[in-house]
């Protein structure tokens, strides 16, 4: 029902092209027959939503697809920042080959700062990314976790810089 080309042929082109093959795709359509759903999913769509649908369901399905695709892309991901090494998929952090145990939020905070190396991340940006948009706590939660992260990182904790009145960054 798209002008000039149907969704199935567009999906096929995207999945054949090496540069777009791994992009998550959710088909949103009025075609609600079981045959159409199976055809779309077997062609490579990550989800298939039929109209009409509720906005909350739509957002939940997008989040679910993003969780699945980010999990699979992070399994072999390794981040390095000087002598700090983060194995994202294994949830492990090493400083000069010494393993450092972090809580889930400390780990996510460290990964977020390292992935955005050189940029100052505001407390609100950190809250939205690490805790999620639904988080209703205080921005001081970030300060508490940064302090704990610095302590656990020991010598490497000096890499986490405070930018007064703005937020935090890792600039190594």
């Amino acid at each position: 029902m798209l002008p000039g080309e149907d969704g199935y042929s567009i999906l096929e082109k995207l999945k054949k092209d090496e540069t777009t093959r791994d992009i998550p795709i959710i088909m949103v359509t009025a075609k609600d027959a079981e045959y159409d759903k199976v055809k779309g999913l077997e062609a490579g769509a990550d989800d298939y939503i039929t109209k009409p649908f509720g906005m909350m369901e739509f957002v939940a399905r997008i989040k679910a697809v993003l969780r699945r695709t980010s999990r699979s892309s992070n399994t072999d991901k390794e981040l390095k920042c000087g002598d700090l090494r983060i194995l994202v998929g294994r949830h492990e952090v090493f400083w000069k080959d010494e393993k450092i145990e972090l809580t889930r939020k400390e780990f996510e905070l460290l990964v977020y700062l390292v992935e955005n190396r050189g940029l100052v991340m505001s407390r609100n940006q950190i809250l939205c990314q690490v805790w999620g948009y639904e988080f209703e706590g205080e921005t001081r939660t970030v300060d508490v976790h940064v302090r704990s992260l610095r302590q656990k990182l020991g010598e490497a904790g000096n890499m986490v810089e405070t930018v007064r009145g703005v937020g935090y960054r890792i600039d190594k």
Side-chain angles (χ1 to χ4, degrees), residues 26-52:
I26 299 175
M27 294 187 78
V28 179
T29 178
K31 293 183 174 184
D32 63 353
E34 182 180 14
Y35 169 79
D36 293 315
K37 293 176 187 179
V38 170
K39 183 178 175 183
L41 292 168
E42 286 185 349
D46 296 283
D47 201 351
Y48 191 101
I49 303 173
T50 58
K51 299 175 190 176

Side-chain angles (χ1 to χ4, degrees), residues 119-134:
L119 301 175
V120 178
M121 307 312 295
S122 73
R123 288 175 181 84
N124 283 333
Q125 287 173 306
I126 294 169
L127 277 174
C128 287
Q129 183 63 36
V130 177
W131 278 265
Y133 289 104
E134 313 83 34

